[in-house]
Amino acid sequence: MTPSFAGGDDRPTEEQSRDTLFLMIGAGYETAVNLITSAVHALLTHRRFLALVHEGTLGWEDVIEETLRHEGPVMHLPLRYALEDIDLGEGVVVRRGEPILLAFGAAGRDPEVHLDRPDDFDPTRPAKDHLAFGHGPHFCLGAPLARLEAEVALSGFFGSYPDAVLAPEGPPPVRLRSAVVNGPAELWIVPAPVPA
Ligand code: HEM
């Protein structure tokens, strides 16, 4: 039986401590990086919203929640297995034991939830519901930390480089080649437009 971390005299074994550390680094690093780079890319390509942030009429939390909705850093999460038959309606039944690939990223673009331009990045939209941090008992443990990291990074970067632009001579941003993690593979940025 796997010892429990919670309560009693149970203590994590060395292996559990190492695995937990690995989980925190794995789950907490690449995800947060992609939230930040996706938000930077979105603001540099939608400058009117960056202007609203600089004016103080739009908050970083709006930018962060809209980025989580529009470009969730965890696109898919493999794999879950159905413990029992799950009837999704309209003739679709996931049979007991079948694998399930959760598409967290797709939920933020659900046209039945976001009736108004679900595919557009618009941090001024009033409702930014998403499942970027998952749902239920495995809801992301690091969600408050991730939001804080993004706010510190974005306010620090755009505070220091308010006129930053995508480097005109840089390659167009390509997406990460991953079915799980979602974001730009790299961003080429210069601190200000280069004079013509
Ligand atoms: C924008 C950044 C992040 C995103 C999008 C994200 C996303 C997610 C998602 C979708 C899950 C649910 C996985 C599942 O259903 O099995 C999850 C779980 C988890 N996340 Fe995050 N995460 C982020 C940042 C972080 C950070 C900063 C930490 C910690 C330093 C962290 C630690 C964890 C842990 C430990 C779990 C597992 C929780 C459990 O299974 O009970 N995450 N995350």
Side-chain angles (χ1 to χ4, degrees):
M1 193 180 99
T2 309
S4 160
F5 279 42
D9 293 329
D10 292 340
R11 308 234 172 140
T13 63
E14 193 176 322
E15 187 186 11
Q16 286 173 325
S17 300
R18 193 191 55 224
D19 289 352
T20 303
L21 184 61
F22 182 76
L23 175 69
M24 296 305 271
I25 295 170
Y29 176 70
E30 203 175 358
T31 49
V33 165
N34 282 290
L35 171 57
I36 294 164
T37 51
S38 289
V40 168
H41 183 241
L43 288 175
L44 293 182
T45 50
H46 301 77
R47 294 202 80 92
R48 65 188 183 283
F49 299 125
L50 183 57
L52 294 180
V53 175
H54 286 318
E55 276 170 32
T57 48
L58 187 66
W60 286 117
E61 66 278 10
D62 290 312
V63 171
I64 292 164
E65 292 312 304
E66 178 65 351
T67 307
L68 288 164
R69 180 198 74 79
H70 186 250
E71 292 291 1
V74 179
M75 183 53 72
H76 300 104
L77 200 71
L79 272 177
R80 296 281 160 74
Y81 295 88
L83 292 175
E84 54 193 52
D85 288 359
I86 303 171
D87 188 348
L88 297 176
E90 299 183 16
V92 180
V93 179
V94 182
R95 296 285 169 208
R96 180 170 180 264
E98 283 184 344
I100 300 172
L101 180 66
L102 294 171
F104 288 126
R109 306 257 193 134
D110 185 345
E112 290 182 15
V113 175
H114 300 285
L115 306 177
D116 182 23
R117 301 164 295 122
D119 293 331
D120 288 5
F121 174 83
D122 180 358
T124 65
R125 69 174 70 241
K128 307 174 183 63
D129 299 349
H130 59 76
L131 292 181
F133 291 118
H135 180 74
H138 292 283
F139 184 84
C140 178
L141 211 60
L145 176 61
R147 288 179 164 120
L148 179 63
E149 286 177 304
E151 182 160 350
V152 169
L154 293 170
S155 60
F157 176 74
F158 284 110
S160 300
Y161 304 105
D163 301 320
V165 289
L166 289 176
E169 73 280 14
V174 290
R175 312 299 300 172
L176 284 168
R177 290 173 61 83
S178 167
V180 176
V181 185
N182 174 48
E186 55 184 28
L187 288 180
W188 289 59
I189 294 171
V190 289
V194 180

